[in-house]
Structure formats: structure tokens, C-alpha cells
């Protein structure tokens, strides 16, 4: 029953988001701040992880292609498919659930503990719109972050394969272009948009409705990470089943 109640409360929160909009000039300032906090500050870790994920995928493929009948260009093909379809949109989103999700939960939870949210309500401000809506808008830029992740991941795969001596540059690039389906990129970005909404709203829900003191803020952040990751994985399955089956 607690889970059902939480699901209902989550959707009620989404409805309350738009009941009373915050002043436009204030929202613009909040959105710019959220873009900096959630997107710009995450760029470094996304680039770092993406590069080495691409490199590891490339090396693993090269080491497991021991059959001389299988062309080496398959390394480039497999690296492209793995990075674009799953590693960039899904794996990076799980990482962001830990980084961005925990930040959102702890920041909103701290405001709840210190009664800043109550102060916003007393002033006649829709606290949900003030706190959560800018995060949703900021996360609309998340696909750009994933696009960078895809690009850097492919570069990492290319450098690991070519500089590691597993195949030539021409063979890797041939595999990269083999059987390319543009819809698969669109599929990856559809997933990314859904994941962005989950990353913005689920951690906000756990932070906004938490109860207790400073210790509970940490617990709420942990719970937020777990549930955000679970929902992303389930959403990944559902979207894949709908778009690729």
C-alpha cells in the first residue's frame, strides 16, 4: 500500500507543478542556475566515463574476435552499436542518477528540513513549481550531454582499437559505417528524453516529501538513487520493446 500511495503522490506532485507558475524573470534565473548545476558540472565526469567505456568495449571486442573468418571491422560496428544504443543513454543515466539525482534530493531535502519550503508556501509561492519545474526544463538539455557522450565514446573506442594495434583505422571506420540505421540514434534520444524527466522528477519527489532531520536527508538520497535507477531500467525495457520490437 505504501508503494501505491507513493505512486499516487508522485503523479499528484506532477499535477501540482503547473497550478501556479512562478514569475518569468525568476524562473529564467533558476533555470540558468539549474543548467549550470545539473548539466555543466556533469560534463567532466560524463566525458571521462564515456571515453573509457568506449575504449573498454573496443578492447573487449578485439580480444574476443579470435576467429580469423570474422572481419576485424566488426569491432567498429559493435562499438558503435553498444555505445549509441545502450552505454551512452542508459549507463550514463545510471551514473547521473547517483550524481545529479542525489544532488537534487539532498538540496530539496535540506530545504525541507530547514523549513525553507514552508517559508515559500507562506509567501504564496508554489514551491513545487519554484523548485522542480526549473530542474525539468534544465534536464531538457540532457540529450546534448548524451550526444557528447556518444561522440567521446566512439573516439575512445577508435583510439583504443587503432593505437592498441588491434586493427587499422580504415577497418574501424568501415565497421563504424556498416549497416548504419539512423532510427537507432532517434531511439537513443527518445530514451534520453524520458530518462531526463525521470532524473528530474523522481529525486525531487524523494527530497520534497521526505520527513525528519539531517540524517534522513542522506537516507532519502540513497532511496532516490535506488528508485531512479530501477525506474530508468524498467523504462529502458519498455521503450526498447515498443520502438525496436
Amino acid at each position: 500500500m505504501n508503494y501505491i500511495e507513493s505512486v499516487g503522490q508522485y503523479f499528484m506532485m506532477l499535477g501540482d507543478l503547473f497550478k501556479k507558475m512562478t514569475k518569468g524573470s525568476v524562473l529564467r534565473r533558476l533555470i540558468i542556475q539549474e543548467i549550470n548545476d545539473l548539466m555543466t558540472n556533469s560534463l567532466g565526469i560524463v566525458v571521462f566515463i564515456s571515453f573509457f567505456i568506449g575504449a573498454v568495449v573496443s578492447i573487449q571486442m578485439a580480444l574476443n574476435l579470435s576467429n580469423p573468418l570474422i572481419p576485424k571491422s566488426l569491432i567498429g560496428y559493435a562499438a558503435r552499436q553498444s555505445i549509441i544504443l545502450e552505454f551512452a543513454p542508459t549507463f550514463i543515466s545510471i551514473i547521473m542518477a547517483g550524481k545529479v539525482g542525489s544532488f537534487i534530493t539532498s538540496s530539496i531535502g535540506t530545504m525541507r528540513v530547514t523549513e525553507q519550503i514552508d517559508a515559500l508556501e507562506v509567501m504564496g509561492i508554489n514551491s513545487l513549481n519554484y523548485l522542480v519545474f526549473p530542474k525539468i526544463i534544465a534536464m531538457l538539455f540532457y540529450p546534448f550531454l548524451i550526444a557528447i557522450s556518444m561522440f567521446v565514446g566512439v573516439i575512445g573506442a577508435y583510439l583504443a582499437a587503432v593505437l592498441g594495434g588491434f586493427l587499422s583505422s580504415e577497418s574501424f571506420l568501415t565497421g563504424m559505417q556498416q549497416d548504419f540505421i539512423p532510427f537507432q540514434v532517434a531511439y537513443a534520444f527518445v530514451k534520453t528524453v524520458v530518462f531526463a524527466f525521470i532524473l528530474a522528477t523522481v529525486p525531487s519527489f524523494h527530497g520534497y516529501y521526505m520527513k525528519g532531520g539531517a540524517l534522513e536527508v542522506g537516507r532519502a538520497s540513497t532511496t532516490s538513487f535506488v528508485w531512479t535507477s530501477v525506474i530508468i531500467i524498467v523504462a529502458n525495457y519498455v521503450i526498447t520493446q515498443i520502438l525496436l520490437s
Side-chain angles (χ1 to χ4, degrees):
M1 290 301 296
N2 288 335
Y3 292 134
I4 296 175
E5 181 181 350
S6 296
V7 171
Q9 194 174 29
Y10 171 77
F11 285 104
M12 288 176 64
M13 180 195 79
L14 297 181
D16 292 339
L17 270 173
F18 306 98
K19 282 188 175 180
K20 183 180 179 183
M21 298 297 291
T22 307
K23 187 177 178 181
S25 58
V26 176
L27 269 181
R28 282 193 295 271
R29 176 177 56 82
L30 292 172
I31 290 170
I32 292 172
Q33 181 62 46
E34 295 294 351
I35 291 173
N36 180 66
D37 291 340
L38 304 181
M39 296 290 97
T40 306
N41 290 344
S42 302
L43 183 59
I45 187 66
V46 168
V47 169
F48 179 82
I49 292 174
S50 300
F51 181 86
F52 284 100
I53 284 178
V56 168
V57 168
S58 184
I59 293 173
Q60 290 281 10
M61 284 299 303
L63 293 177
N64 284 281
L65 284 179
S66 56
N67 192 329
L69 299 178
I70 300 177
K72 291 292 186 180
S73 61
L74 186 62
I75 297 173
Y77 172 80
R80 183 200 72 202
Q81 292 296 95
S82 301
I83 293 167
I84 290 178
L85 293 178
E86 284 303 321
F87 281 105
T90 306
F91 186 78
I92 293 298
S93 294
I94 299 297
I95 299 299
M96 293 290 279
K99 185 185 184 302
V100 171
S102 296
F103 172 78
I104 292 174
T105 302
S106 60
S107 60
I108 296 179
T110 300
M111 293 184 70
R112 172 64 73 186
V113 169
T114 56
E115 300 181 348
Q116 295 180 56
I117 294 179
D118 296 329
L120 289 173
E121 296 287 350
V122 168
M123 290 187 291
I125 298 173
N126 182 352
S127 57
L128 278 171
N129 184 263
Y130 183 89
L131 295 173
V132 182
F133 184 73
K135 292 176 173 56
I136 295 175
I137 300 302
M139 289 301 293
L140 292 178
F141 291 89
Y142 187 55
F144 293 100
L145 200 65
I146 295 303
I148 294 173
S149 173
M150 292 177 181
F151 176 76
V152 174
V154 170
I155 293 297
Y158 172 83
L159 293 177
V162 175
L163 298 183
F166 296 108
L167 77 168
S168 65
S169 174
E170 292 76 13
S171 295
F172 186 91
L173 294 176
T174 298
M176 277 284 298
Q177 300 172 45
Q178 180 180 343
D179 296 332
F180 176 68
I181 303 175
F183 176 74
Q184 292 178 345
V185 178
Y187 152 79
F189 282 118
V190 168
K191 288 203 303 184
T192 301
V193 172
V194 175
F195 295 164
F197 184 79
I198 294 170
L199 286 168
T201 56
V202 175
S204 297
F205 169 80
H206 283 91
Y208 189 85
Y209 291 106
M210 65 147 292
K211 298 178 181 178
L215 182 60
E216 280 70 23
V217 173
R219 291 175 179 171
S221 297
T222 302
T223 304
S224 166
F225 168 69
V226 172
W227 279 107
T228 303
S229 301
V230 168
I231 294 171
I232 285 174
I233 291 171
V234 172
N236 182 43
Y237 169 78
V238 173
I239 295 170
T240 302
Q241 187 71 23
I242 292 173
L243 295 183
L244 295 186
S245 63

